[in-house]
């Protein structure tokens, strides 16, 4: 019965009615059980006991059962495939009937072209250089991301020169990433030094950005203290000043395309994710994760374009190649060689204090101590030096190890820059917003102390490749030898026989000779023994 002012009827029943229902249910269950017992049907299926161990030919019986089971599985899979193929054929026939003839012809041509063209190798130098050039051509403003631990080593003169030579008066910005791994005085000096050429933005990316689906779920209860959210890894500093700077520059334009360029693992994708607030670009500890350009809308008027890392030229010093190139990932250089070159550029005592290892003579001994310290051991307790070397390299290329390079005291403009170009690059930017934003960023970041950071010797700007020829690269020594041989005039067989230098005769191996010392073996009369005494 539905009571007034209630949306639903009450489910309350009198006790007598409830008991009657329960009794009827019990009687019905009892009746079903009796019928099942009469028919010999039981609810629980009998467990397959299998083949007893005492049965003869047990292995053959089990093998036959396994083969039967595999045959049944194959038949079911074949039926599933046949059903899928039949559905696909039905869809194709229905689409072909509905589509016009011109559209069909166009699609056939495109499919044939796609079949003929081979799939591009995304890890090749040609592909990476072409994608980088696409980003440079498509963007109005280019942000060159520099690792604050070695800003000079992260600069690519070829890239900067290419941006200046492109048409359309493109602007260039410097962005110092990973500033939380460098002492504050060092960051301030580098900002002053780099501001003489281009505008500089100090930035600290967030390393705890979640996916869109996770970000979309809002919490009902907000924690009273937001200490966890404002931790050192989750905090992002410098994004507000950068968005204000870009929006003010894009005020006169309908849309602004900003390309983010730089060497691998300097923080390009992390910058875009921090600006957007969600995980838009793939990020990883391994270098060279980004293979192609990707556009991300930050606001209605600003669009960021992610790009693959600049390919480092093989003519760079070994230390620059160990940090900036992908030689280790591509197998051109071993991890142990990269660690050896990096240890040469650091102070011996600082490495010992940072990794808490005893004094070592070479890189191999350091890696053995480091592997024992971290517990990287193989069978028999042998230290795994390769694993230790990979962790050491990821610490230095990733956002973990704190090291710094000293800024030059008297900086000079490079050859491709002039004072007129510098003033032109700084026109159009609101430098007051930039200055106040950098000051706020430096106040909010928790910097390491000068004593806890390792001093690293920078090798200067790293040369990059913007175009790679299709011909295979030859070593300079081999080419020089070939040219020298080709330039030499040909000689006759007689002359060649005369000009051949006589081979040096093989000298016999030197043998050690001992001088003979004269020994007196004379016997005195007392020491003489008469043999006839025993046989008398």
């Amino acid at each position: 019965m539905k009571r007034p002012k209630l949306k639903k009827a009450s489910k309350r029943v009198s006790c007598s009615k409830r008991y009657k229902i329960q009794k009827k249910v019990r009687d019905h269950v009892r009746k079903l059980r009796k019928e099942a017992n009469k028919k010999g049907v039981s609810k629980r299926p009998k467990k397959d006991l299998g083949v007893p161990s005492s049965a003869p030919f047990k292995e053959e019986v089990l093998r036959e059962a396994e083969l039967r089971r595999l045959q049944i599985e194959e038949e079911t899979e074949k039926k599933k495939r046949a059903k899928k193929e039949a559905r696909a054929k039905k869809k194709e026939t229905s689409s072909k009937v509905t589509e016009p003839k011109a559209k069909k012809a166009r699609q056939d041509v495109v499919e044939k072209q796609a079949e003929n063209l081979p799939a591009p190798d995304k890890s090749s130098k040609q592909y990476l250089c072409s994608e980088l050039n696409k980003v440079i051509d498509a963007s109005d403003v280019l942000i060159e991301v520099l690792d604050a631990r070695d800003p000079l080593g992260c600069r690519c003169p070829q890239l900067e020169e290419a941006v200046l030579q492109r048409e359309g008066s493109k602007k260039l910005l410097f962005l110092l990433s990973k500033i939380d791994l460098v002492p504050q005085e060092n960051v301030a000096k580098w900002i002053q030094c780099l501001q003489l050429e281009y505008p500089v933005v100090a930035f600290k990316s967030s390393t705890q950005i979640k996916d869109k689906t996770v970000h979309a779920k809002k919490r009902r209860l907000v924690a009273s203290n937001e200490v966890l959210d404002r931790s050192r890894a989750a905090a992002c500093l410098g994004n507000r000043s950068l968005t204000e700077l870009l929006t003010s520059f894009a005020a006169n334009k309908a849309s602004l395309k900003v390309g983010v360029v730089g060497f691998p693992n300097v923080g390009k994708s992390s910058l875009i994710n921090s600006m957007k607030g969600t995980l838009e670009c793939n990020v990883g500890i391994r270098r060279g994760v980004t293979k192609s350009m990707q556009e991300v809308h930050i606001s209605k008027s600003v669009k960021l374009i992610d790009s693959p890392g600049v390919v480092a030229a093989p003519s760079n010093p070994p230390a620059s190649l160990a940090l900036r190139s992908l030689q280790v990932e591509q197998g051109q250089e071993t991890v142990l060689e990269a660690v050896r070159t990096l240890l040469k550029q650091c102070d011996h005592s600082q490495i010992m204090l940072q990794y808490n290892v005893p004094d070592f003579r070479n890189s191999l001994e350091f890696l053995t101590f480091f592997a024992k310290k971290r517990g990287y051991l193989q069978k028999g307790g042998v230290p795994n030096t390769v694993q230790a070397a990979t962790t050491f390299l990821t610490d230095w290329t990733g956002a973990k190890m704190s090291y710094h390079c000293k800024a030059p005291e008297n900086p000079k403009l490079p050859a491709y820059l002039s004072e007129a170009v510098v003033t032109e690059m700084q026109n159009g930017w609101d430098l007051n917003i930039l200055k106040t934003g950098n000051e706020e960023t430096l106040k909010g970041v928790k910097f390491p102390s000068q004593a806890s950071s390792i001093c690293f010797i920078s090798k200067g700007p790293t040369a990059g490749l913007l175009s790679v020829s299709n011909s295979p690269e030859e070593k300079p020594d081999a080419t020089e030898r070939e040219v020298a041989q080709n330039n030499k005039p040909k000689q006759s067989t007689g002359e060649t026989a005369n000009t051949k230098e006589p081979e040096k005769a093989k000298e016999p191996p030197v043998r050690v000779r001992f001088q003979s010392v004269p020994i007196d073996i004379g016997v005195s009369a007392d020491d003489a023994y008469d043999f006839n005494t025993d046989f008398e």
Side-chain angles (χ1 to χ4, degrees):
M1 177 183 173
K2 189 176 179 181
R3 290 183 291 172
K5 296 184 181 179
L6 285 175
K7 292 182 180 179
K8 294 180 181 179
S10 176
K11 292 183 180 179
R12 296 174 69 180
V13 187
S14 62
C15 290
S16 60
K17 194 173 181 180
R18 188 167 68 248
Y19 295 149
K20 281 180 183 177
I21 292 165
Q22 288 175 359
K23 188 180 178 184
K24 283 184 179 180
V25 169
R26 282 197 300 272
D27 293 340
H28 178 68
V29 170
R30 194 182 298 114
K31 187 179 178 181
L32 291 174
R33 201 185 301 126
K34 283 181 180 179
E35 289 176 358
N37 288 333
K38 284 179 183 178
K39 291 178 182 178
V41 179
S42 61
K43 286 183 180 179
R44 294 179 183 177
K46 288 183 180 180
K47 188 179 178 182
D48 186 14
L49 298 174
V51 184
S53 58
S54 61
F57 311 110
K58 178 184 176 181
E59 292 180 358
E60 292 179 2
V61 173
L62 291 172
R63 203 180 296 115
E64 286 176 3
E66 185 67 20
L67 288 170
R68 205 178 303 119
R69 187 181 64 79
L70 291 171
Q71 285 175 0
I72 293 164
E73 286 180 358
E74 285 178 1
E75 287 174 1
T76 52
E77 284 181 1
K78 283 179 182 178
K79 288 177 182 178
K80 285 180 182 178
R81 286 174 194 165
K83 285 180 181 179
K84 283 183 181 179
E85 287 174 1
R87 287 173 191 168
K89 283 179 181 179
K90 281 182 181 179
K91 285 182 181 179
E92 285 178 3
T93 51
S94 61
S95 63
K96 283 179 181 177
V97 170
T98 53
E99 284 178 357
K101 292 181 179 179
K103 197 173 181 181
K104 285 180 189 176
R106 259 186 267 119
Q107 284 183 353
D108 293 337
V109 171
V110 171
E111 286 175 0
K112 285 179 182 178
Q113 288 177 355
E115 288 175 0
N116 295 330
L117 290 172
D121 185 12
K122 291 189 176 182
S123 60
S124 63
K125 291 181 180 180
Q126 288 87 354
Y127 183 80
L128 296 174
C129 292
S130 65
E131 288 293 311
L132 182 61
N133 285 315
K134 283 180 190 175
V135 173
I136 295 170
D137 293 331
S139 53
D140 305 318
V141 177
L142 283 150
I143 298 176
E144 189 176 5
V145 183
L146 309 176
D147 194 337
R149 298 175 290 184
D150 186 11
L152 193 63
C154 292
R155 288 186 64 176
C156 180
Q158 289 78 12
L159 176 66
E160 295 172 15
E161 197 171 356
V163 172
L164 295 174
Q165 290 175 358
R166 297 291 167 96
E167 297 178 355
S169 64
K170 299 180 186 294
K171 298 285 184 180
L172 188 65
L173 275 175
F174 282 155
L175 187 136
L176 282 177
S177 65
K178 304 177 185 179
I179 57 172
D180 57 325
L181 301 173
V182 184
Q184 187 174 4
E185 303 85 11
N186 198 264
V187 176
K189 284 180 182 177
W190 274 112
I191 290 172
Q192 290 177 0
C193 177
L194 295 170
Q195 271 179 352
L196 300 173
E197 300 179 22
Y198 300 101
V200 185
V201 181
F203 197 86
K204 191 258 171 190
S205 302
S206 175
T207 56
Q208 292 183 356
I209 293 173
K210 297 177 181 178
D211 199 3
K212 295 178 186 176
T213 55
V214 180
H215 188 77
K217 295 178 182 178
K218 295 181 180 179
R219 295 178 300 171
R220 289 184 181 179
L221 298 172
V222 181
S224 59
N225 56 339
E226 296 181 353
V227 178
L228 294 172
D229 292 339
R230 292 183 174 275
S231 64
R232 188 175 178 183
C236 175
L237 300 168
N239 55 344
R240 190 181 301 172
S241 63
L242 185 58
T243 48
E244 287 178 4
L245 190 70
L246 293 174
T247 48
S248 65
F249 185 77
N252 301 325
K253 297 183 179 182
S255 64
L256 183 69
K257 292 183 179 180
V258 183
V260 183
V261 294
F263 282 100
N265 226 1
V266 291
K268 301 184 293 298
S269 302
S270 299
L271 164 67
I272 295 170
N273 292 335
S274 301
M275 293 285 287
K276 183 69 176 177
T278 55
L279 191 68
E280 296 288 337
C281 304
N282 290 329
V283 182
I285 300 171
R286 194 173 183 274
R287 293 180 287 183
V289 175
T290 308
K291 300 289 184 183
S292 56
M293 63 182 290
Q294 182 182 353
E295 294 184 355
V296 179
H297 289 270
I298 300 299
S299 63
K300 291 181 179 179
S301 58
V302 180
K303 185 194 293 182
L304 292 180
I305 306 173
D306 194 11
S307 67
V310 180
V311 179
S315 59
N316 287 306
S320 301
L321 291 173
L323 290 171
R324 313 274 173 259
S325 70
L326 302 174
Q327 286 186 348
V328 176
E329 285 77 4
Q330 292 172 357
Q332 296 175 6
E333 187 184 14
T334 60
V335 194
L336 301 172
E337 291 174 359
V339 172
R340 191 185 300 116
T341 53
L342 289 176
L343 287 173
K344 287 178 183 177
Q345 305 299 318
C346 305
D347 190 12
H348 193 84
S349 58
Q350 287 182 342
I351 292 286
M352 288 166 57
L353 292 170
Q354 186 72 32
Y355 287 96
N356 196 12
V357 293
D359 191 9
F360 55 92
R361 290 170 292 179
N362 49 25
S363 60
L364 189 62
E365 193 173 2
F366 164 75
L367 290 172
T368 53
F369 290 142
F370 183 52
K372 287 178 182 177
K373 188 76 180 174
R374 293 287 179 95
Y376 301 147
L377 301 174
Q378 295 175 341
K379 275 189 175 182
V382 178
N384 193 347
T385 53
V386 177
Q387 190 179 358
T390 50
T391 52
F392 181 85
L393 195 62
T394 49
D395 288 352
W396 279 72
T397 54
K400 193 171 182 181
M401 180 52 60
S402 172
Y403 66 91
H404 65 278
C405 299
K406 293 181 180 179
E409 295 179 357
N410 299 318
K412 295 179 181 179
L413 292 176
Y416 55 88
L417 265 183
S418 62
E419 292 182 359
V421 175
V422 171
T423 52
E424 187 184 347
M425 283 290 164
Q426 292 180 352
N427 288 336
W429 300 106
D430 194 346
L431 299 177
N432 294 323
I433 294 172
L434 186 63
K435 188 177 179 181
T436 53
N438 287 341
E439 288 175 357
E440 289 176 3
T441 305
L442 294 177
K443 285 179 184 177
V445 177
K446 186 179 178 181
F447 293 98
S449 62
Q450 195 83 24
S452 63
S453 182
I454 297 172
C455 186
F456 184 76
I457 301 167
S458 179
K459 290 292 182 181
T462 308
L465 298 175
L466 296 180
S467 61
V468 182
S469 59
N470 295 325
S471 60
E473 293 180 0
E474 295 180 354
K475 294 182 181 180
D477 298 339
T479 52
E480 284 175 5
R481 287 171 192 165
E482 287 177 4
V483 170
Q485 286 177 2
N486 294 332
N487 291 335
K488 280 183 182 179
K490 293 184 179 180
Q491 295 177 348
S492 62
T493 55
E495 290 177 356
T496 51
N498 294 330
T499 53
K500 282 183 181 179
E501 294 181 359
E503 293 182 357
K504 292 182 179 180
K506 292 183 180 180
E507 296 179 358
V510 180
R511 295 178 182 177
V512 181
R513 295 180 181 179
F514 297 97
Q515 292 181 358
S516 58
V517 180
I519 300 170
D520 188 12
I521 316 177
V523 181
S524 62
D526 298 333
D527 294 334
Y529 180 73
D530 189 8
F531 289 94
N532 297 322
T533 56
D534 294 332
F535 299 102
E536 284 180 354

